[in-house]
Structure formats: C-alpha cells, structure tokens
Amino acid sequence: MAEFNNNPRGGGNDRGGNDRRGGGNDRGGNRDQAPRAGESDLKEKVVAINRVAKVVKGGRRFSFSAIVVVGDGNGTVGFGLGKANEVTDAIAKGIDDAKKNLVKVPLYKHTVPHVMEGKYSGGFVLVQPAAAGTGVIAGGAMRAVFESAGIKDVLAKSKGSSNPHNVVKATFDALLKMRDPMQIAQQRGITLSQVFNG
C-alpha cells in the first residue's frame, strides 16, 4: 500500500511539474520562434517599457507594458503595445501587435518627400527632409520609427508631449499624411523634377 500511495503522489508531482513547465517552455518556445521567423524581414525596436503597479489586498502586483516598433527598412513600419506580467512577454505581445498594424510610408532618396506636421493627443511633431549624410536628427521615440521605416536622413522635432505613446502616434500621423512624389507626378502629368522645382 505504501508503494501504491507513493506512485500516485510521484505521478501527481510529475504531471504537475511537467504540465506546467512543459507547457510554459512550449509556449515560450513558440513565442520566441515567431519573432525569429520575421527577423529576416522585420526588425524590432523597443521604444519604452513601463512598469505598472496595481494595489491589491495582499500588497502590489507589478505588470509591464512595452511599446515596440517593427519595420523592414524599406518603407514598411508599424507599432504595437503589449502588456504582461513579464517584460519578455510584454515585448513579444507588442511585436505581434505591431506586425498586425503595418503601414507603408513614402520615401524619397532615403528621406521623407516633404515637410509635414503630425499630431496625436498632446503629442506634436515636425518632420522635414534632409540632405544626404545628415542622419536621423530626432528624439528616441521618433528615431525608432524612422530607422525602422528605412529613413536615413531626416530632421524632426517633438514640440508637444514627451510621452512615448503620443510621440510615436504623432510621428505615424505625420508619415501617413505624406504623399508619394511619383504618384503626384503621374496624376499631374509632369516630371519628378517639376514636382519639386515647380
């Protein structure tokens, strides 16, 4: 009887340990594989990680939120927000969310086509083209968006809120309002040089 009782206990411990640990490892493995599969196309940049404390009866529970920007460096870029109890899980969720919200932004000679302002809530940004070799002159949240989109030369200034959520969304607002010079030239029936020089 003693041996019979030990086996179920041992089996119960093995089941609990294997199920939880095995399930956790499998899930973690799958989450790790998804970003790896997309790394050839999309590169991820973590803009900000915020720790959130929830006060409960027993004390405080901490969770994390992460803003992630992904892009292929050729005009395709997106951002996402992930929330989880662990930093790595929050980043993984943010990457998945960003991949669902990819947009195409117009590029012209590795810079933006023209001056544009973007606004979202308290965030207000000014984006203007720069000569080749200038580099990305922008703050941290905007820099991540520009580098992920493949913009190598740009002058940008954040004039409003410094909250990275608002800055990233205002930057996307500015990029999405820009017009492709090639399309404008075709619509007007003029050459590309005439679009810029009049």
Side-chain angles (χ1 to χ4, degrees):
M1 293 295 292
E3 293 177 2
F4 181 75
N5 287 336
N6 284 337
N7 287 339
R9 284 178 188 171
N13 290 338
D14 288 341
R15 285 179 189 168
N18 287 340
D19 285 348
R20 289 176 187 170
R21 291 175 188 169
N25 289 339
D26 289 342
R27 289 177 187 167
N30 290 339
R31 286 179 186 169
D32 291 341
Q33 286 174 1
R36 282 178 191 166
E39 275 180 5
S40 59
D41 308 307
L42 301 173
K43 295 181 181 178
E44 303 95 15
K45 288 183 182 291
V46 178
V47 177
I49 298 175
N50 188 30
R51 189 181 74 171
V52 181
K54 180 182 179 182
V55 179
V56 294
K57 185 177 180 181
R60 294 178 182 174
R61 285 185 181 175
F62 294 103
S63 61
F64 298 90
S65 65
I67 310 171
V68 184
V69 175
V70 301
D72 64 352
N74 194 27
T76 302
V77 65
F79 75 95
L81 176 65
K83 298 178 182 180
N85 292 330
E86 298 292 334
V87 176
T88 53
D89 292 339
I91 293 173
K93 286 183 180 180
I95 291 170
D96 292 339
D97 188 33
K99 288 180 179 178
K100 295 175 185 176
N101 301 316
L102 293 174
V103 294
K104 187 75 174 176
V105 298
L107 300 180
Y108 180 71
K109 295 183 179 179
H110 300 294
T111 187
V112 293
H114 54 86
V115 179
M116 183 55 68
E117 295 174 348
K119 189 177 187 304
Y120 182 86
S121 187
F124 182 79
V125 299
L126 173 66
V127 181
Q128 59 186 19
T134 304
V136 178
I137 310 298
M142 286 189 291
R143 177 181 293 272
V145 176
F146 293 139
E147 289 179 350
S148 297
I151 299 172
K152 298 180 181 178
D153 304 297
V154 67
L155 298 171
K157 178 67 179 175
S158 175
K159 296 183 175 183
S161 169
S162 60
N163 184 343
H165 292 264
N166 291 337
V167 173
V168 167
K169 291 175 182 177
T171 306
F172 270 85
D173 180 56
L175 292 176
L176 291 175
K177 288 193 293 188
M178 290 187 178
R179 301 179 64 189
D180 188 4
M182 295 293 291
Q183 290 182 357
I184 294 174
Q186 290 177 357
Q187 289 172 359
R188 296 181 183 176
I190 58 177
T191 63
L192 196 60
S193 62
Q194 288 176 319
V195 172
F196 290 101
N197 301 326

